[in-house]
Amino acid sequence: MSNLEQTLSIIKPDAVERNLENEIKEIFKNNGFLIVKEKKIQIEKSEAEKFYKVHETKPFYSDLCAYLSSGPIVVMVLEKENSVLANRELMGATNPKEAKEGTIRKRYGISIDKNSVHGSDSVENAKIEIDFFFKD
Ligand code: CMP
């Protein structure tokens, strides 16, 4: 049965800074994702804190929010069959050192913080994250 889903993807500051935006978008398109919406923005730390609220008790929360707001990012709504899982597989493990060959984080990630891309971790969070950036 068809299960067309949307997921939220972010090209993070480390990747935008290295001009990897188009290369990463091509990887999504070549893997069958449709980029339904996209915008390049820079957010305030307070907005990053709202976006990453699920991580607020983690020791890395403040650095994570400072990092996401440190430079321009590209936020995209990606559409494909089972896109939440498909995007997580294409991104690879959170820590680039553990990511498999052929994944975006293996190819471009610098560290667990500067791991080049974010992707929603569940269908439920995808809806919340898409609304966060694109509800108007
Ligand atoms: P992301 O998928 O954007 O979701 C939360 C981010 O926290 C994650 O990618 C990492 O970049 C970052 N992070 C930093 N330290 C850790 C850690 N120890 N475990 C998980 N995520 C971490």
Side-chain angles (χ1 to χ4, degrees), residues 28-65:
F28 285 125
K29 289 185 217 164
N30 291 340
N31 281 274
F33 291 88
L34 193 66
I35 302 172
V36 182
K37 292 180 185 169
E38 62 171 288
K39 60 183 178 184
K40 192 181 210 170
I41 52 174
Q42 182 162 1
I43 61 173
E44 298 290 333
K45 189 177 183 203
S46 58
E47 294 174 277
E49 285 165 352
K50 277 185 216 148
F51 179 73
Y52 276 133
K53 195 161 174 47
V54 288
H55 295 299
E56 72 182 330
T57 58
K58 310 269 174 63
F60 55 84
Y61 179 61
S62 180
D63 286 349
L64 171 64
C65 297

Side-chain angles (χ1 to χ4, degrees), residues 95-114:
N95 187 344
K97 290 185 183 76
E98 290 161 13
K100 288 187 192 142
E101 284 302 330
T103 63
I104 295 174
R105 285 168 169 162
K106 172 74 181 181
R107 188 157 176 198
Y108 302 115
I110 295 169
S111 65
I112 195 163
D113 305 290
K114 297 184 173 181

Side-chain angles (χ1 to χ4, degrees), residues 18-36:
R18 287 176 287 153
N19 288 316
L20 295 170
E21 176 184 342
N22 288 335
E23 243 176 273
I24 292 175
K25 281 191 211 161
E26 281 307 305
I27 294 175
F28 285 125
K29 289 185 217 164
N30 291 340
N31 281 274
F33 291 88
L34 193 66
I35 302 172
V36 182

Side-chain angles (χ1 to χ4, degrees), residues 10-12 14-15 18 24 108-110 114-118:
I10 304 178
I11 304 177
K12 294 188 181 184
D14 66 275
R18 287 176 287 153
I24 292 175
Y108 302 115
I110 295 169
K114 297 184 173 181
N115 62 357
S116 303
V117 282
H118 166 84

Side-chain angles (χ1 to χ4, degrees), residues 70-117:
S70 67
I73 57 174
V74 179
V75 278
M76 299 174 287
V77 176
L78 303 181
E79 192 172 274
K80 179 183 161 142
E81 296 283 307
N82 303 308
S83 67
V84 172
L85 185 62
N87 182 36
R88 291 180 67 73
E89 285 177 358
L90 184 57
M91 289 191 299
T94 305
N95 187 344
K97 290 185 183 76
E98 290 161 13
K100 288 187 192 142
E101 284 302 330
T103 63
I104 295 174
R105 285 168 169 162
K106 172 74 181 181
R107 188 157 176 198
Y108 302 115
I110 295 169
S111 65
I112 195 163
D113 305 290
K114 297 184 173 181
N115 62 357
S116 303
V117 282

